[in-house]
Structure formats: structure tokens, C-alpha cells
Amino acid sequence: MMFDSGTNPFTNRDDVLRDEAERVVKERSKAGLDGLTGGLQFVIINTEPAGLRETAREFLRYTGLRYDSGFEHDTHQACILRACIGADFLITSRKTPENPFASFNQHPKARQIPNSRLETFVFETPDLAGYVQIQKKRGVEFFTEEPIQSDHFLFIQTEPSRYTGNSVGLIQWTGERGDMVFSGRNNLDWELEKPDLPHLKNIHYLDHAATRV
């Protein structure tokens, strides 16, 4: 038997887990969250400052993603990898030492690359302000007090989960869908070609994602 951060014991039995899942669904519905979370838009993976380009090349070699563009602003460098269907990927690298995810990379191998991890799953919402208002009342904490506004979207993300080390991002498209470039950016003059490898014809888009609970 395991215990959560409160006083209630957690039992790893299927019937208990199913009951808890049903309770969570009912709580979300009662809070007014039904219909406020749409499909997965993109996944954010962060890497070490010197490893961004090589990380992008590795994704091109082993996934169905294709390079779209790269950009940088005051705090990040990033490149966008597109999928023909489904979620895109945003590969980022911080230009500042602050990293709210670093404390989750404390195991022997991860400690050597403290900035490299899958960080955020970003979902669409039709009403970001409404979503944030409801979730704050439920005790959910976000990185920023208000959503970030860019040319084509409003965006906010939660603090990393203490259970998984991952964050949930919410985006409301206000302009061109899929344009995740922040305002005030400089474009990176990169040319990253998709390698012509036989195994890539069998690899397509991200069809599911899983996280530990």
C-alpha cells in the first residue's frame, strides 16, 4: 500500500482506481471544465543549451517529424518540428539558468543533463480565461499569473506535477492555427534536412502518450 501527500491511503487495485477515476471525472464536470480541453496541439521537450540542433536532427532521423523553422528570443532558442497529422513538437533550450523542471532530473544519468526532459503537453482550449479561472479556484498553480499573449495565441502552463514532473499547457488560437512562434523573436537560419532512410516510411505521427500517475 502507498500513501498520497494527504492522509488518505492509496491502494493499487483496479476497482479502487476505477472508482477514483470516476470521481475525478465527476469533479471536473461539476467544476465546469467539460468542453474546455481539446486535442493535443504540441509537445515541448527541452534540451541542453549546446544540444538543440543535434536533438532536432535526432528527432528527424528517428520519427515522422519534419523541420519547420527555428527562432530565439530573450529566454529561449527553439525549433518547430511538424507532423503531417496530430501533435507537433517544440524543441527548446533555455538561455537563462532558471529551470523549474531541473529538480526532477536527480537520478544518476539524468543529473548529468539536468535541462533535458519532456516537459509539457499542450492542449487546445476555446476559452483560456475561463479555464484558468476555474482551475485557480481548484488550487491549480500556473507559471504566470495571466496567460501569455502572442500574435496568434494565448498560452499558459501549470507548474510541474510533483508526481510526474510534467506540466500541462493550454493554448487558445487567436490567429493562424499552429503558429507557435512568440512575439519579438529572431529567426534561426537553420537548414535541417529529413534524412532519406528506409525505416522512416514506417514511422508516422504521435498516436498516444502516457505518463506515470
Side-chain angles (χ1 to χ4, degrees), residues 35 96 132:
T96 58
V132 171

Short mmCIF file of all heavy atoms in Angstrom, two decimals, residues 35 96 132:
data_model
loop_
_atom_site.label_atom_id
_atom_site.label_comp_id
_atom_site.label_asym_id
_atom_site.label_seq_id
_atom_site.Cartn_x
_atom_site.Cartn_y
_atom_site.Cartn_z
N GLY A 35 -15.65 20.28 -21.96
CA GLY A 35 -15.59 21.03 -23.21
C GLY A 35 -14.52 22.09 -23.26
O GLY A 35 -14.35 22.75 -24.30
N THR A 96 18.77 31.03 -20.01
CA THR A 96 18.95 31.50 -18.64
C THR A 96 19.08 30.29 -17.71
O THR A 96 18.61 29.20 -18.04
CB THR A 96 17.76 32.36 -18.19
OG1 THR A 96 16.56 31.59 -18.29
CG2 THR A 96 17.63 33.60 -19.07
N VAL A 132 -8.62 29.01 -16.90
CA VAL A 132 -7.71 29.43 -15.83
C VAL A 132 -8.49 29.82 -14.58
O VAL A 132 -8.10 29.46 -13.46
CB VAL A 132 -6.83 30.60 -16.32
CG1 VAL A 132 -6.04 31.21 -15.16
CG2 VAL A 132 -5.89 30.14 -17.42
#
